[in-house]
Amino acid sequence: MADNFSVFVVEDDEFYSEVLEYHLSMNPDITVTKFTNAQDFLKNLDKNPGAITLDYSLPDMSGEEVLRR
């Protein structure tokens, strides 16, 4: 059995992150991990997700700053 495709959702809007998680999880081969701030996301980046959805405006830094790091 192959590993699931990992998607990180970096979003501080709880409703929107739930919507993204719901739709992505409709595919049983996708595993979704949610983060509400940039620091937690960056600490877990070593887990090498297959894709990332990134909010432009997070509480601790902008999405643009996250991309630079």
Side-chain angles (χ1 to χ4, degrees):
M1 178 184 236
D3 289 336
N4 281 2
F5 185 79
S6 174
V7 176
F8 281 8
V9 173
V10 187
E11 174 62 59
D12 63 329
D13 181 309
E14 185 177 344
F15 176 77
Y16 188 62
S17 70
E18 292 291 329
V19 169
L20 285 173
E21 179 181 36
Y22 172 79
H23 286 287
L24 290 167
S25 295
M26 292 185 82
N27 181 330
D29 296 328
I30 295 177
T31 300
V32 177
T33 305
K34 297 187 301 183
F35 301 94
T36 58
N37 63 65
Q39 291 300 322
D40 290 342
F41 161 69
L42 291 170
K43 288 177 190 173
N44 286 279
L45 201 50
D46 63 323
K47 295 179 182 171
N48 297 319
I52 301 166
T53 67
L54 179 59
D55 186 1
Y56 187 76
S57 179
L58 294 164
D60 53 347
M61 72 178 70
S62 73
E64 186 175 353
E65 177 65 24
V66 173
L67 285 174
R68 279 193 218 119
R69 290 183 182 206

